[in-house]
Amino acid sequence: MSTDLAVSEVRFEHLRETLGIGVARPRLSWMVSTEAKGWTQIAYEIEARGRDGQPRTTGKVESAESVLVPWPFAPLASRERVSVRVRVWGNNGQASDWSAPAWAEAGLLKADDWVARFVTPDWDEDTSTMQPSPLLRREFDLRTAVQQARLYVTALGLYEAQINGQVVGDQVLSPGWTSYNHRLRYQTFDVTGLLRKGRNAIGAILGDGWYRGRLGFFGGRRNIYGDRLALLAQLEVEYTDGTTETIATDLTWRATRGPILASDIYDGETYDARREPRGWSEPDYDDHDWAGVRLLERDLTTLVAPSGPPVRRIQTLKPVDIIKSPSGRTIVDFGQNIAGWLRLRVQGPPGQTIRLRHAEVLENGEPCYRTLRTAKATDSYTLRGEGVETWEPRFTFHGFRYAEVEGWPGELHSDDLTAVVCHSDMERTGWFECSNPLLNQLHENIVWTMRSNFLDVPTDCPQRDERLGWTGDCEVFSPTATTLYDCAGFLASWLADVAADQGDDGAVPLYVPNIKAGPITPAAVWGDATTVVPWVLYQRFGDAGILEAQFESMRSWVDYVAGRAGDSLLYDKDVPYGDWLDPAAPPDRPGDTRTDATLVATAYFARSAELVAQAARVLGRETEAKRYESLAAGVRDAFAREYVAPSGRVVSDSATAYTLAIQFGLLPTPEQRQRAGARLAQIARDNQYRISSGFVGTAILCDALCSVGEYDTAFRMLTQRACPSWLYPVTMGATTIWERWDSMLPDGSVNPGAMTSFNHYALGSVGDWMYRTIGGLAPAEPGYRRLDLQPHIGGGLTSARARHLTPYGMAECAWKIEGGVVQVEAVIPPNVSARVVLPQSDLAPVEVGSGQYHWSYRAVPPQRHLLTLDSTFSELFADADLWSQVLELAPEMAVLEEITPVSSSTTLRLQLLFQPNAEEMMRSLQAALDKIQGEKNPA
Ligand code: BGC
């Protein structure tokens, strides 16, 4: 039977790069494509072949599973390579052909697979300050032609490996940053093409990086993980005659100090090209004056293969402008705030030094370095002076849009500098667009901020003296992150570090990898990343394995909190941040929030206990499920007793307090919930839809509003442009999400607070809501196995489209409204079903299977009640359309926006009463309302 049914994207674990995987029983996933509607898989067959070409097969397995299917064969041994293909049968009786084969090769799975030992240069150095980067090398002979060769390599510090003068691979900042004392990644490279019969050379450059460079704020510390850089390299060669040879780091290696005179993650890199030993990683180089190496003891059981993608150069940007600042500095503008570095191309005299200093913004036309705090963010290059030289740093990165250039020989042209955007090489999975260009820019800014901060570790910011894996930031942003990119493997690695760095008592460090000296000082909400992030990964990628891997970490955090809370079940300790960066907090006291920090902490305690219970349920751990369910119920009761009035008012009476109470189910009765919802919307209106929450509340504010039916309020907040709001930075030309709503003040000056970055993703956590609510594309079951397609029309938008590459394939939801006719399009991937609720329609929700769908119908506009002078200003302001029409007919009403406070109980009549020409104003407003509403509602 002819069929369009095909299987593709056969994948091992969450990996797109499968050389040197660290899992002996990799779970398998695949995607199916077919035009058939309502397609579901009824069976699959998996076939695997090893190097001997002999097939092993599962036979036909009756199952609908196609995501993270358990490995059906014997576990892989170290170095074992398999090629896997899959075919499927569908509910329409069709069978697919075999997919194209996908392969994976195991890395070194056991510590005793390593014959190499860590080697460090045989010299003493003063590690209280930056040191030149060592070069290490050795030569070797290969007896005959090479069939295949693998380099297994890592370092204490950062490394770049070279073979016969060629850089190995295209990764940068390897081995990345993990909790090195517990987990040190090694990389596997196919280096077959770099070797030849006869004489060969292998070498590596090492840098201080995260291992022994300066890390942390308030000046930071050096040598956090150790004070000696070291290389571990094992080159395994297989000859065409089947014999093998291993070249490994040992005492035969040689070492010298290279051209990188200093390098540091925060401060930048200093390079003197005159000191490059030409040909140092090629054979027949004379290294007689190099030093030897020493062995360095290190527990090799800490070595792990990557579970996510490496950091790479992902994109390059050319300057959009070269500016002379008022004080005469030369500044290059790349038009986009990024994380990465500059590549230069230059010709000039030997010994000339060029300095590149990076900045995110200009203030009064000059680069603003204040936001970098103590990070020098300066690279310098001294020319060799022979022809055209190109250079870029290896062991640093910067967060910048602008660079100040000093010492350039001759005139600087825009072709001379390139900005290199670097981050973990994740696959993009989310796309959003709508009819409001400002919202599209907001979305772009969220994407760029994720790109700037998913550089091996999910960081708070890429520019100042932090760049740390702040747990709370990752937690609030994780739903958005998982929408935009496939970061399952990336975050799984980070979560393994979270678990590794957790205290024996379950206490969670503020940032992971933890670099703080002394005991762990946990913080409420931040520590809850332990429960929230695994749960988000389970929801978005259907990966129950991550819950299994993290269960102990999740549980022990909640036990820790329970211990701290004691019998009261109120978590009133460990609250240094609360609803961090509440816009009402003074610039120098960002933790001074209007929401009671213990309320925030206890709300999260309830949430985390509930997530542990849910995770236990997924994992079939019934006893634990019951235990944590009852703990969660107890905390909810305690919360209600302490913070919720019988009427539904919540202590602090703030947006964050209501948001948490609503979203985390902390209001005992439906009446209290309804009242809390109304109060939350009222707070929004009273603030004229400006943000009044910090980064805890803001992340779920729109969801809380929508869950109590306040869609219009959520849209009004999202489209507000006055500060503080999501769009204010966009109107100020932002290209990334700022740490503070007002990192740049309306007059263009930079916020005086020390906590002021222009590239922090936490406030971009609204991105996920935009996909789910405006685009209408949300997961209804883990892994998007079932979709909830429920777009909402609002905010004056006339169209929106969201696409997401789910584990099952591309899903899409789009709508537009034209002349009162709504058109909705949906794409549902094979093996997935969806519940569709059409916007502005009275059609019943429909259940559909896979396929492409299109609906077109006349919109049923939402019912509005007529406003009069006895309505309140906030009711009038709530109807954006009506308010703008009133302003057109009676511009003098603008004064109403100025009258403060905008009280929820003051009528328009009463507000106008105190205006000099009250009578006239009232008449004019009444006339405007009559005219507009009369037209809107013809009798
Ligand atoms: C970081 C934050 C972090 C916070 C803790 C800051 O310095 O940049 O994003 O969560 O400290 O409150």
Side-chain angles (χ1 to χ4, degrees):
M1 183 185 347
S2 100
T3 165
D4 69 333
L5 183 64
V7 179
S8 63
E9 308 294 327
V10 175
R11 189 168 304 153
F12 298 78
E13 290 293 317
H14 297 288
L15 296 159
R16 282 180 184 75
E17 304 186 29
T18 50
L19 182 66
I21 69 171
V23 188
R25 304 178 60 90
R27 295 167 299 170
L28 298 170
S29 308
W30 54 89
M31 289 182 189
V32 169
S33 58
T34 172
E35 293 291 311
K37 280 201 168 178
W39 189 90
T40 53
Q41 177 186 297
I42 56 161
Y44 66 76
E45 181 175 4
I46 302 173
E47 182 201 77
R49 281 170 210 258
R51 282 184 83 182
D52 59 8
Q54 286 306 310
R56 286 168 280 173
T57 160
T58 56
K60 185 171 174 181
V61 179
E62 278 178 26
S63 164
E65 298 309 311
S66 57
V67 170
L68 298 167
V69 172
W71 180 248
F73 307 111
L76 299 176
S78 292
R79 308 178 184 85
E80 185 176 343
R81 189 178 173 97
V82 276
S83 153
V84 165
R85 44 183 207 159
V86 176
R87 60 176 167 174
V88 298
W89 289 261
N91 55 343
N92 55 359
Q94 291 184 339
S96 75
D97 276 340
W98 285 107
S99 67
W103 61 267
E105 185 178 304
L108 302 183
L109 302 179
K110 303 186 307 295
D112 61 14
D113 291 322
W114 291 90
V115 294
R117 288 296 171 261
F118 278 96
V119 294
T120 182
D122 187 16
W123 60 65
D124 294 325
E125 50 192 346
D126 172 13
T127 53
S128 65
T129 165
M130 287 186 262
Q131 291 297 309
S133 273
L135 304 178
L136 290 96
R137 76 183 302 276
R138 78 159 269 190
E139 294 188 16
F140 54 94
D141 291 307
L142 293 181
R143 209 168 3 89
T144 176
V146 174
Q147 173 70 32
Q148 129 176 339
R150 300 285 181 262
L151 177 64
Y152 305 96
V153 56
T154 188
L156 304 177
L158 299 174
Y159 74 86
E160 179 190 283
Q162 300 193 5
I163 290 180
N164 295 331
Q166 304 278 320
V167 174
V168 174
D170 57 359
Q171 316 189 354
V172 295
L173 299 167
S174 303
W177 188 15
T178 45
S179 172
Y180 291 138
N181 294 336
H182 302 106
R183 302 173 64 246
L184 172 63
R185 279 193 216 116
Y186 66 92
Q187 281 75 32
T188 305
F189 296 99
D190 179 355
V191 293
T192 316
L194 298 180
L195 297 168
R196 53 196 173 225
K197 180 179 168 195
R199 197 89 180 134
N200 289 266
I202 180 169
I205 318 176
L206 305 182
D208 292 354
W210 295 284
Y211 189 81
R212 73 167 192 189
R214 177 167 78 97
L215 280 187
F217 38 93
F218 303 137
R221 295 192 296 138
R222 297 192 164 279
N223 307 308
I224 288 175
Y225 297 97
D227 60 2
R228 297 218 53 104
L229 301 182
L231 176 72
L232 180 77
Q234 184 158 311
L235 173 62
E236 298 191 357
V237 179
E238 188 185 317
Y239 292 114
T240 43
D241 63 12
T243 58
T244 61
E245 180 122 37
T246 299
I247 292 93
T249 40
D250 58 19
L251 288 173
T252 63
W253 286 58
R254 312 281 290 161
T256 194
R257 294 179 174 88
I260 298 178
L261 302 184
S263 66
D264 185 87
I265 298 282
Y266 297 159
D267 292 332
E269 187 166 311
T270 305
Y271 191 93
D272 187 342
R274 295 168 304 178
R275 299 174 65 111
E276 268 167 31
R278 296 266 174 94
W280 69 276
S281 67
E282 289 171 47
D284 302 321
Y285 174 86
D286 181 5
D287 60 17
H288 80 273
D289 58 348
W290 286 37
V293 297
R294 304 173 195 162
L295 296 183
L296 197 131
E297 272 315 309
R298 157 101 197 185
D299 178 4
L300 298 184
T301 61
T302 56
L303 294 174
V304 295
S307 64
V311 179
R312 289 203 171 91
R313 301 172 184 87
I314 304 290
Q315 186 181 345
T316 55
L317 301 175
K318 294 310 291 176
V320 295
D321 205 1
I322 299 182
I323 313 160
K324 265 273 174 274
S325 80
S327 71
R329 305 172 200 236
T330 303
I331 300 164
V332 186
D333 176 6
F334 290 91
Q336 173 65 53
N337 205 16
I338 64 161
W341 52 68
L342 294 178
R343 179 184 298 152
L344 55 79
R345 192 170 171 280
V346 67
Q347 187 157 15
Q352 168 101 11
T353 296
I354 298 166
R355 274 172 27 108
L356 307 168
R357 193 167 179 199
H358 304 74
E360 291 186 286
V361 287
L362 302 181
E363 193 176 23
N364 302 320
E366 304 289 346
C368 176
Y369 297 123
R370 184 162 48 83
T371 65
L372 308 179
R373 302 201 299 223
T374 68
K376 294 196 185 70
T378 303
D379 294 337
S380 84
Y381 178 78
T382 301
L383 275 74
R384 189 168 52 234
E386 296 164 18
V388 176
E389 302 173 36
T390 56
W391 176 79
E392 60 192 277
R394 287 181 174 87
F395 299 138
T396 188
F397 66 91
H398 310 291
F400 68 102
R401 167 176 167 171
Y402 301 91
E404 179 184 349
V405 182
E406 273 182 300
W408 194 268
E411 202 187 327
L412 178 67
H413 298 284
S414 66
D415 277 354
D416 299 332
L417 288 176
T418 305
V420 182
V421 178
C422 295
H423 52 82
S424 291
D425 195 0
M426 305 164 292
E427 183 175 17
R428 179 85 183 259
T429 54
W431 296 267
F432 173 90
E433 62 190 316
C434 70
S435 56
N436 180 340
L438 294 176
L439 290 182
N440 292 342
Q441 184 64 43
L442 172 67
H443 175 260
E444 267 308 281
N445 293 359
I446 297 171
V447 173
W448 271 105
T449 303
M450 173 163 179
R451 296 179 65 184
S452 309
N453 283 294
F454 272 55
L455 197 152
D456 213 48
V457 162
T459 55
D460 55 337
C461 56
Q463 76 298 78
R464 70 176 177 224
D465 52 1
E466 290 205 53
R467 317 187 198 183
L468 303 175
W470 277 96
T471 48
D473 304 48
C474 180
E475 168 186 324
V476 298
F477 189 66
S478 54
T480 300
T482 50
T483 299
L484 299 177
Y485 279 91
D486 177 356
C487 50
F490 174 102
L491 286 176
S493 172
W494 182 71
L495 285 172
D497 285 338
V498 171
D501 279 353
Q502 234 170 316
D504 293 338
D505 57 356
V508 179
L510 301 175
Y511 30 77
V512 172
N514 184 23
I515 53 153
K516 189 177 155 293
I520 294 173
T521 48
V525 184
W526 273 248
D528 295 290
T530 44
T531 60
V532 173
V533 180
W535 189 252
V536 168
L537 293 186
Y538 169 61
Q539 292 300 323
R540 299 307 171 92
F541 300 101
D543 184 355
I546 196 76
L547 296 179
E548 185 71 59
Q550 296 302 126
F551 189 75
E552 201 41 39
S553 155
M554 299 170 78
R555 187 196 59 70
S556 67
W557 164 248
V558 170
D559 287 355
Y560 172 84
V561 174
R564 298 283 283 166
D567 292 343
S568 74
L569 293 182
L570 297 172
Y571 188 23
D572 53 4
K573 302 176 183 73
D574 312 322
V575 287
Y577 308 131
D579 188 25
W580 186 245
L581 286 170
D582 180 324
D588 56 338
R589 296 213 309 276
D592 255 2
T593 75
R594 73 191 93 189
T595 307
D596 182 335
T598 69
L599 173 152
V600 175
T602 305
Y604 258 94
F605 178 19
R607 175 70 179 147
S608 279
E610 184 184 299
L611 290 181
V612 173
Q614 291 187 28
R617 188 125 291 152
V618 172
L619 300 173
R621 300 170 181 247
E622 281 312 310
T623 323
E624 276 142 320
K626 287 208 181 81
R627 190 160 111 227
Y628 289 94
E629 247 154 38
S630 98
L631 176 62
V635 181
R636 280 197 293 269
D637 285 349
F639 182 96
R641 264 198 315 278
E642 183 78 6
Y643 302 114
V644 185
S647 65
R649 281 252 185 176
V650 178
V651 162
S652 295
D653 197 33
S654 66
T656 294
Y658 289 107
T659 294
L660 292 172
I662 292 168
Q663 276 310 94
F664 294 173
L666 303 173
L667 297 150
T669 67
E671 294 73 27
Q672 285 172 312
R673 184 178 158 83
Q674 200 184 6
R675 179 78 197 288
R679 188 67 201 132
L680 177 61
Q682 193 59 55
I683 290 172
R685 283 195 287 275
D686 288 356
N687 280 291
Q688 295 186 6
Y689 303 103
R690 284 178 297 226
I691 300 272
S692 66
S693 44
F695 94 34
V696 178
T698 302
I700 48 174
L701 171 71
C702 287
D703 276 308
L705 284 167
C706 294
S707 73
V708 294
E710 290 285 346
Y711 284 91
D712 286 349
T713 308
F715 273 105
R716 285 302 298 277
M717 293 202 72
L718 185 72
T719 50
Q720 168 62 275
R721 299 176 201 189
C723 189
S725 68
W726 281 289
L727 290 186
Y728 163 72
V730 175
T731 65
M732 292 294 287
T735 60
T736 37
I737 301 297
W738 297 348
E739 178 172 26
R740 295 171 176 275
W741 299 110
D742 57 352
S743 281
M744 183 176 280
L745 303 171
D747 65 2
S749 64
V750 173
N751 190 302
M755 214 54 79
T756 300
S757 118
F758 290 85
N759 213 345
H760 251 70
Y761 48 55
L763 301 182
S765 47
V766 71
D768 182 50
W769 178 85
M770 291 166 71
Y771 277 80
R772 287 184 286 106
T773 310
I774 307 179
L777 178 49
E781 277 176 25
Y784 294 81
R785 182 73 187 257
R786 185 155 174 268
L787 304 174
D788 186 12
L789 301 186
Q790 206 172 152
H792 285 271
I793 300 177
L797 299 182
T798 53
S799 68
R801 178 181 300 271
R803 282 189 302 141
H804 180 69
L805 182 59
T806 74
Y808 296 88
M810 189 66 83
E812 187 167 338
C813 187
W815 57 266
K816 64 177 177 205
I817 178 160
E818 251 169 19
V821 174
V822 183
Q823 310 223 34
V824 177
E825 279 170 33
V827 177
I828 294 143
N831 219 15
V832 168
S833 63
R835 174 171 180 265
V836 186
V837 184
L838 296 167
Q840 294 198 0
S841 97
D842 41 23
L843 301 166
V846 281
E847 279 288 335
V848 292
S850 69
Q852 299 199 14
Y853 298 86
H854 181 245
W855 293 270
S856 177
Y857 53 91
R858 195 141 270 290
V860 182
Q863 288 288 332
R864 292 227 150 81
H865 70 279
L866 295 185
L867 297 191
T868 67
L869 289 187
D870 292 315
S871 307
T872 62
F873 172 65
S874 62
E875 284 175 293
L876 170 56
F877 195 62
D879 188 334
D881 229 23
L882 181 60
W883 176 236
S884 70
Q885 290 181 60
V886 166
L887 285 179
E888 250 169 58
L889 292 171
E892 68 277 19
M893 292 306 145
V895 71
L896 284 168
E897 277 190 57
E898 311 296 317
I899 301 174
T900 48
V902 182
S903 163
S904 23
S905 50
T906 315
T907 62
L908 288 160
R909 193 186 300 284
L910 205 57
Q911 282 194 319
L912 292 176
L913 198 59
F914 299 103
Q915 292 301 304
N917 44 352
E919 289 289 307
E920 204 181 307
M921 294 276 281
M922 283 189 220
R923 257 199 311 279
S924 145
L925 177 56
Q926 186 65 66
L929 288 174
D930 287 349
K931 178 149 199 286
I932 303 160
Q933 301 187 118
E935 277 169 11
K936 248 193 190 172
N937 302 280

